[in-house]
Amino acid sequence: MSSVDKSSSKPFLSVQVIVLFQVLWAMLALLFFTLFGVTARGEDHPMWYSVGTLILESMAFLIAWILCFRNWRSPQIVSGRSVWFNIGMGMLFYFIGGLLFSYWELVLKRNPAVSPGDFFYILTYIFLLIGMVQVVFSRRLNLELWQKGVIVAIAVVGIAIALSAAGKPSQGTAWQWIEAPAYAQIVPATKPVQSPAAPLTAPSPVVTAQPAPEVPAFVESLEQLLQPLEASVQMYYLICDVLLLVLATTLLLAFWGGRFSQSWRMIAIAALFLYIADMAFKFATRDPNYQSGGWLEVFWVFSGVFFGIGAALEYDLSVRSRRSSSRRRA
């Protein structure tokens, strides 16, 4: 089989099927978060809900990585394979980071300020920003004055929101309970005070303390090792979010028209959803009663879905473009 025949072979799933599945996944996530994401004040999310949010978010980024990996392996991709390698690595690292974060939270019942999952989230932003910068600078931008003004205005607004999100909450943090001894919610043993006239044989109800869950020693050691990095990690996230917002806006303006603009509009929207989810989470965790898994976190699922849609559209457009060129040469 010639190289032209190989390039003309149809993929296992058409782009229409992939996009439809992605859209249905986003709708399922929206329904799940909306119907079950709000609980009464003081109540925790059930375990099945937390596992459901993990599956919805993780699968969105895993599928996005698979589609980006397909683009990286294909020599037909017009935008360049290295671009999709970097974006794909960002999706993969986000997937791994989410699994580690959920293991720490759901299995170990811990929620430290900095966890091993943050290491992979940091790598996510590095590779994702590199990929988006490659796209922006590979296209010879000739933005008009009003477009540059829009980018500057968006950057100023993004910085203002990030600085506001970085402010200290008024009363504690969302994970204030972690500061209790042994990372457990302790209910102190209490005994009601008896009056002198009360009979000595009167029962004295005692509320026993809840035992702390057993945690491997390396977990506590690792958390103590990472604790001093909290301020640096949080500042890193805020800076990357602002850069992500600026690059997403630039992509929308640079790829507003043209044959290959549709896929990059999806990537830009995915980056915007990632920024919205991060900022919403930062503001939400200022509430001492906030629980992980709130309905605003659905924007993380939307981000993974749109990254996948952008990758699928880019692959389809590149393959069809090469087919058209082959027919013209024939």
Side-chain angles (χ1 to χ4, degrees):
M1 182 181 292
S2 65
S3 60
V4 174
D5 294 333
K6 290 180 181 179
S7 64
S8 300
S9 58
K10 293 183 179 180
F12 177 70
L13 294 175
S14 65
V15 65
Q16 292 82 4
V17 173
I18 294 175
V19 172
L20 177 61
F21 175 82
Q22 295 284 73
V23 171
L24 291 177
W25 192 262
M27 293 177 61
L28 175 63
L30 179 61
L31 289 174
F32 188 82
F33 277 83
T34 302
L35 293 177
F36 308 113
V38 180
T39 59
R41 191 173 185 84
E43 292 185 3
D44 295 331
H45 291 300
M47 177 61 72
W48 61 264
Y49 173 80
S50 298
V51 173
T53 58
L54 170 63
I55 293 174
L56 289 168
E57 183 178 326
S58 299
M59 287 301 297
F61 282 92
L62 179 62
I63 294 173
W65 169 70
I66 293 173
L67 294 173
C68 291
F69 180 73
R70 182 179 68 164
N71 290 4
W72 169 62
R73 291 199 46 157
S74 174
Q76 305 167 336
I77 295 300
V78 176
S79 54
R81 297 171 58 188
S82 63
V83 171
W84 292 103
F85 171 81
N86 288 311
I87 295 179
M89 291 302 293
M91 300 297 99
L92 177 61
F93 285 133
Y94 194 97
F95 169 75
I96 298 174
L99 293 182
L100 283 175
F101 177 84
S102 298
Y103 174 74
W104 238 253
E105 183 181 49
L106 302 181
V107 178
L108 300 178
K109 305 299 181 182
R110 316 275 285 190
N111 223 320
V114 181
S115 74
D118 287 290
F119 173 75
F120 291 93
Y121 288 144
I122 289 172
L123 292 177
T124 292
Y125 284 101
I126 292 176
F127 281 93
L128 186 57
L129 289 172
I130 290 175
M132 296 181 68
V133 166
Q134 284 180 309
V135 176
V136 170
F137 284 93
S138 65
R139 187 181 180 99
R140 297 179 180 178
L141 299 181
N142 188 18
L143 300 178
E144 297 181 7
L145 183 60
W146 71 268
Q147 293 175 317
K148 295 179 181 179
V150 169
I151 294 175
V152 172
I154 292 295
V156 171
V157 172
I159 293 173
I161 294 175
L163 291 176
S164 178
K168 294 183 179 180
S170 56
Q171 295 180 347
T173 64
W175 313 121
Q176 190 175 12
W177 64 275
I178 297 176
E179 299 176 0
Y183 291 82
Q185 290 176 312
I186 303 299
V187 180
T190 59
K191 180 182 292 185
V193 179
Q194 288 183 314
S195 64
L200 297 178
T201 57
S204 300
V206 177
V207 180
T208 58
Q210 297 180 356
E214 293 186 9
V215 178
F218 81 91
V219 172
E220 293 186 354
S221 300
L222 186 57
E223 290 177 356
Q224 293 176 2
L225 179 65
L226 297 177
Q227 176 64 34
L229 301 176
E230 178 184 1
S232 300
V233 170
Q234 296 304 322
M235 182 58 63
Y236 170 85
Y237 285 150
L238 293 176
I239 294 174
C240 288
D241 281 325
V242 173
L243 293 176
L244 203 64
L245 178 64
V246 173
L247 288 173
T249 305
T250 306
L251 280 178
L252 285 175
L253 295 175
F255 289 88
W256 193 255
R259 184 178 181 185
F260 292 93
S261 62
Q262 188 175 11
S263 58
W264 291 108
R265 286 202 299 268
M266 297 299 104
I267 297 297
I269 293 174
L272 288 175
F273 279 140
L274 184 57
Y275 172 84
I276 292 172
D278 287 347
M279 291 297 104
F281 181 77
K282 288 293 296 181
F283 278 105
T285 52
R286 293 164 64 90
D287 180 5
N289 299 307
Y290 180 78
Q291 301 177 47
S292 178
W295 69 269
L296 286 173
E297 295 181 18
V298 73
F299 285 99
W300 276 318
V301 181
F302 291 167
S303 178
V305 165
F306 273 81
F307 274 118
I309 291 176
L313 292 175
E314 178 74 4
Y315 183 86
D316 180 68
L317 289 170
S318 298
V319 170
R320 287 195 286 114
S321 176
R322 293 300 175 90
R323 287 175 182 169
S324 300
S325 299
S326 299
R327 284 195 294 267
R328 285 194 297 267
R329 287 196 301 269

